Amino acid sequence: MIIAVQILVLILVIFSTLLVISIPVTLASPGQWEQSKNLIYTGAGIWAGLVIITGVANSFIT
């Protein structure tokens, strides 16, 4: 179970890094917000889901 939580945390860190880089670039590019709005919201939803799943999985470790 510990390995599963470590993998979830690794995925969360990698995904967070991708979001930290991609969201400001998208917002700074002219006209990109309208094209990428759904992708950014989907990424934020996936990130929130990963945070919740990681927290729930971590609660089973004693």
Side-chain angles (χ1 to χ4, degrees):
M1 187 68 173
I2 294 175
I3 293 175
V5 172
Q6 288 176 346
I7 290 171
L8 282 171
V9 170
L10 177 66
I11 293 169
L12 184 62
V13 168
I14 291 171
F15 196 70
S16 296
T17 304
L18 289 174
L19 287 178
V20 163
I21 294 169
S22 64
I23 289 177
V25 168
T26 301
L27 293 175
S29 301
Q32 289 294 320
W33 170 247
E34 294 300 324
Q35 296 174 355
S36 302
K37 181 171 37 174
N38 290 333
L39 185 62
I40 290 175
Y41 287 147
T42 303
I46 292 171
W47 182 85
L50 275 171
V51 168
I52 292 170
I53 291 170
T54 303
V56 168
N58 193 34
S59 69
F60 291 115
I61 297 175
T62 58

